[in-house]
């Protein structure tokens, strides 16, 4: 459930109409619903009610806007980060350092040092050498780094290849058969508090069976590690629960997910850690856009909108589906291609799609754009970065400015020898 609905034929975000925001801020613009973020954060927590010891760390990469992070911090969420930049965002939003988990396959020595100095709660190690470096840095500071070893369970998540992370050929984690010996070596290092294991098999999972298979393998590993004399107090189960993007998509029931987790982990006696991202943010946002032209086409007309692949990259990257709906639909329908103004053939959002009939100047939105939307935007073709707006009841605020071409140019320099 979200808080985007039609009132008197006009699409609203909570109690604010999208035309009112578009008139004040311009298009394209990302618009988020604070009530939806809160509802999804609570629904995920409630789904895990049967899990007695848990830590929820929102995956900042899904949507790192500071206002969004503040909403989730107020809901008691920590943060899963994959860069020092994301760590700084989490801290700036009021998330305690102890509630931050640092994931990611390419953490640099400088990033590891900065995270140690900040006092974050956990490092998810991706390779043995990373653990050696982290332990040495921690020993220099007279502390022990709290860490888990990320394991690749070789489970096919059944999702898009570009967002699958748990198969043996993926770059993430260490092979599960190598984990026990690696754990032995790392746990013995001065400066290392290797307290458990982590896994994450992919994103946008609509079926719980791959997650159950992965968790079952992790449970066997936990038992093996304890049998070898290791203390395992924490297990990070990652994220990956999907959301519906189009009609026919059925996302996992969070109560069913929680029941599965509770059943599989019943005898683990560990604090379970979760990294929800898309399931919290996906349906909490839309990308509002204006129709620039309806261009005749050979088979179907092209609806050219002022949003582009640099604003919402998922369709170009993954052939991802986002529902496209008129803000003030008339009831008429049309079959059309939806494209942006960027000079790439890949700048298309849909081909041959049955949509609300629209004309030049009409407003429309791409639904389910709250996750992996603005965070993946670029300035390709020297286009401005899209602004972001947060709605909370009958009020709204611009929570990220539109970054215009002039600001981008001002950040660049022409060397003296080229100056005229």
């Amino acid at each position: 459930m979200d808080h985007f609905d039609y009132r008197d034929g006009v699409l609203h975000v909570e109690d604010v109409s999208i035309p009112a925001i578009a008139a004040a801020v311009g298009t394209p613009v990302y618009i988020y619903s604070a009530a939806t973020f809160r509802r999804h954060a609570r629904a995920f927590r409630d789904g895990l009610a049967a899990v007695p010891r848990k830590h929820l760390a929102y995956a900042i990469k899904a949507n790192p806007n500071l206002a969004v992070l503040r909403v989730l911090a107020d809901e008691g969420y920590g943060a899963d980060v994959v860069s020092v930049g994301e760590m700084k965002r989490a801290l700036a939003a009021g998330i305690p350092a102890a509630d931050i988990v640092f994931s990611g396959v390419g953490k640099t020595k400088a990033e590891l040092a900065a995270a140690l100095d900040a006092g974050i709660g956990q490092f998810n190690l991706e390779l043995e050498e990373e653990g050696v470096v982290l332990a040495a840095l921690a020993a220099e500071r007279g502390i022990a780094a709290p860490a888990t070893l990320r394991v690749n369970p070789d489970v096919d998540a059944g999702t898009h290849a570009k967002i699958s992370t748990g198969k043996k050929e993926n770059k993430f984690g260490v092979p599960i058969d190598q984990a026990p010996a690696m754990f032995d070596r790392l746990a013995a290092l001065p400066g290392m508090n290797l307290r458990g294991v982590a896994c994450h098999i992919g994103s946008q999972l609509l079926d719980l069976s791959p997650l159950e298979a992965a968790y079952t393998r992790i449970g066997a590993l936990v038992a093996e590690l304890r049998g070898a004399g290791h203390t395992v107090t924490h297990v990070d189960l990652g994220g990956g629960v999907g959301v519906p993007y189009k009609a026919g998509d059925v996302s996992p029931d969070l109560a069913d997910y929680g029941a599965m987790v509770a059943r599989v982990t019943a005898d683990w006696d560990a604090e379970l850690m979760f990294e929800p991202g898309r399931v919290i943010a996906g349906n909490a946002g839309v990308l509002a856009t204006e129709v620039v032209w309806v261009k005749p086409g050979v088979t179907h007309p092209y609806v050219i909108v002022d949003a582009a692949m640099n604003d919402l990259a998922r369709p170009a990257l993954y052939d991802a589906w986002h529902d496209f709906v008129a803000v003030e639909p008339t009831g008429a329908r049309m079959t059309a291609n939806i494209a942006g103004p960027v000079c790439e053939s890949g700048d298309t959002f849909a081909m041959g799609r049955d949509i609300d009939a629209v004309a030049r100047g009409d407003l429309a939105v791409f639904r389910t754009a709250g996750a992996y939307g603005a965070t993946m935007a670029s300035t390709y073709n020297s286009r401005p970065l899209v602004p972001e707006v947060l709605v909370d009841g009958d009020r709204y605020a611009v929570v990220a400015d539109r970054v215009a071409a002039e600001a981008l140019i001002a950040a660049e320099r022409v060397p003296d020898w080229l100056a005229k």
Side-chain angles (χ1 to χ4, degrees):
M1 176 183 173
D2 58 47
H3 292 79
F4 299 83
D5 54 26
Y6 287 94
R7 302 183 186 182
D8 298 323
V10 179
L11 187 60
H12 282 61
V13 183
E14 300 187 30
D15 297 325
V16 181
S17 77
I18 286 181
I21 295 173
V25 181
T27 58
V29 56
Y30 278 98
I31 308 174
Y32 308 130
S33 160
T36 305
F37 276 108
R38 294 187 185 106
R39 182 186 183 280
H40 291 172
R42 294 168 188 175
F44 190 85
R45 184 189 301 278
D46 291 347
L48 293 168
V51 177
R53 294 153 56 197
K54 54 185 173 285
H55 178 267
L56 306 182
Y58 168 68
I60 284 186
K61 59 183 177 289
N63 186 323
N65 183 277
L66 281 178
V68 168
L69 298 184
R70 181 62 60 84
V71 168
L72 296 176
D74 289 345
E75 291 296 322
Y77 275 67
D80 170 62
V81 307
V82 296
S83 71
V84 161
E86 287 189 344
M87 181 189 77
K88 291 178 178 179
R89 281 182 172 273
L91 294 171
I95 295 173
D99 288 334
I100 296 176
V101 177
F102 202 153
S103 301
V105 72
K107 299 185 284 292
T108 67
K109 183 177 179 180
E111 287 183 312
L112 293 173
L116 281 171
D117 292 339
I120 71 159
Q122 180 170 295
F123 295 83
N124 288 347
L125 303 176
E126 288 274 356
L127 70 161
E128 186 169 359
E129 187 177 2
E130 178 188 8
V132 172
V133 172
L134 176 64
L137 290 168
E140 290 172 2
R141 289 161 171 76
I143 59 176
T148 65
L149 181 63
R150 179 169 175 175
V151 174
N152 187 321
D154 192 23
V155 171
D156 187 350
T159 187
H160 193 284
K162 294 291 181 68
I163 50 177
S164 174
T165 60
K167 293 191 290 183
K168 61 184 178 183
E169 61 266 30
N170 295 139
K171 71 178 183 178
F172 298 96
V174 302
I176 194 166
D177 60 337
Q178 297 178 23
M182 196 176 299
F183 201 101
D184 285 342
R185 295 189 293 270
L186 289 173
L189 295 174
M192 176 60 67
N193 173 20
L194 194 58
R195 62 187 194 174
V197 293
C199 78
H200 178 78
I201 65 169
S203 186
Q204 185 52 15
L205 277 72
L206 299 180
D207 180 5
L208 293 179
S209 56
L211 289 170
E212 181 168 356
Y215 297 167
T216 300
R217 294 186 183 184
I218 293 299
L221 175 62
V222 169
E224 181 178 354
L225 292 172
R226 286 176 171 158
H230 294 293
T231 299
V232 176
T233 59
H234 292 73
V235 180
D236 192 329
L237 296 178
V241 176
V243 300
Y245 278 94
K246 61 180 177 179
D249 283 350
V250 179
S251 58
D253 182 275
L254 291 176
D256 291 342
Y257 172 67
M260 179 272 287
V261 171
R263 172 171 46 80
V264 173
T265 67
D267 61 352
W268 287 13
D269 187 24
E271 180 171 325
L272 303 183
M273 309 180 76
F274 301 87
E275 302 165 5
R278 187 192 314 265
V279 71
I280 304 293
N283 285 308
V286 299
L287 174 59
T289 186
E290 181 177 321
V291 177
V292 179
W293 306 107
V294 178
K295 179 181 178 180
V298 174
T299 305
H300 304 297
Y302 275 87
V303 173
I304 309 296
V305 296
D306 62 1
M309 64 184 287
N310 69 294
D311 306 314
L312 179 60
R314 296 185 70 254
L317 287 176
Y318 315 131
D319 294 321
W321 179 292
H322 287 268
D323 280 340
F324 179 84
V325 299
V327 169
E328 299 182 63
T330 64
R333 307 289 295 179
M334 66 189 295
T335 300
N337 308 319
I338 307 166
V342 157
C343 195
E344 295 280 351
S345 295
D347 184 25
T348 54
F349 297 102
M351 298 295 288
R353 175 99 52 100
D354 175 47
I355 61 171
D356 292 322
V358 291
R360 180 185 177 190
D362 286 351
L363 293 174
V365 300
F366 293 100
R367 299 292 304 264
T368 320
Y372 304 103
T375 185
M376 297 176 72
S378 75
T379 58
Y380 185 48
N381 281 187
S382 292
R383 288 171 51 82
L385 286 174
V386 178
E388 299 167 72
V389 167
L390 181 70
V391 177
D392 197 352
D394 61 358
R395 57 190 176 180
Y396 73 89
V398 176
V399 294
D401 293 333
R402 191 182 307 276
V403 181
E406 292 79 5
L408 299 174
I409 294 169
E412 299 175 17
R413 300 288 183 271
V414 176
D416 293 343
W417 68 84
L418 292 177
K420 293 184 178 179

